[in-house]
Amino acid sequence: MDKVLSARVDEAVIRQIGLLARELKTTKKAIIESAVRLYSEQSGLKKKLDVFEQTCGSWNRSESPEETVNQARSAFRGSMERHQL
C-alpha cells in the first residue's frame, strides 16, 4: 500500500529527480524508492530493519507456558489486592 510522504527538499534535488525519471523513462516515485533501497543496502541498515529476522525465535522462552501464565496471574492478583477498597 502506497502512502503520501511530504518533505521539504532542495529545488536542485527535485530537478535532479525529475531529470533522472525522464532519462530512465520511469516515475519519480521509482527513482526515490530505488535511491532509498540502495542507500539502505550500502549503509548496512537493511539488516537492522529486517523485523522478521529480529523477532524470529522470540517466542522461544526459557520458561514453560504454565510458568508464564502463573507469573501473569500472580502479578494481576497482587495488583487487585493493592487496589481494593
Side-chain angles (χ1 to χ4, degrees):
M1 178 174 153
D2 290 344
K3 293 191 174 199
V4 175
L5 169 71
S6 176
R8 293 187 184 272
V9 181
D10 187 74
E11 287 183 43
V13 173
I14 293 172
R15 284 194 298 273
Q16 190 172 12
I17 292 170
L19 178 65
L20 282 167
R22 280 191 302 277
E23 289 292 319
L24 298 173
K25 295 182 172 85
T26 188
T27 64
K28 293 176 187 176
K29 175 182 178 270
I31 296 295
I32 294 169
E33 288 175 343
S34 296
V36 170
R37 282 191 198 103
L38 180 63
Y39 190 76
S40 178
E41 288 171 5
Q42 288 178 347
S43 69
L45 187 62
K46 187 173 184 174
K47 293 176 187 172
K48 293 179 185 175
L49 293 177
D50 189 354
V51 175
F52 181 74
E53 185 178 307
Q54 288 179 358
T55 59
C56 187
S58 64
W59 51 269
N60 287 331
R61 295 181 174 238
S62 56
E63 72 268 358
S64 70
E66 292 82 17
E67 290 173 306
T68 304
V69 169
N70 288 336
Q71 289 174 0
R73 286 182 178 164
S74 175
F76 179 75
R77 284 189 197 109
S79 66
M80 292 301 288
E81 290 173 4
R82 274 195 311 271
H83 299 288
Q84 281 185 342
L85 296 176

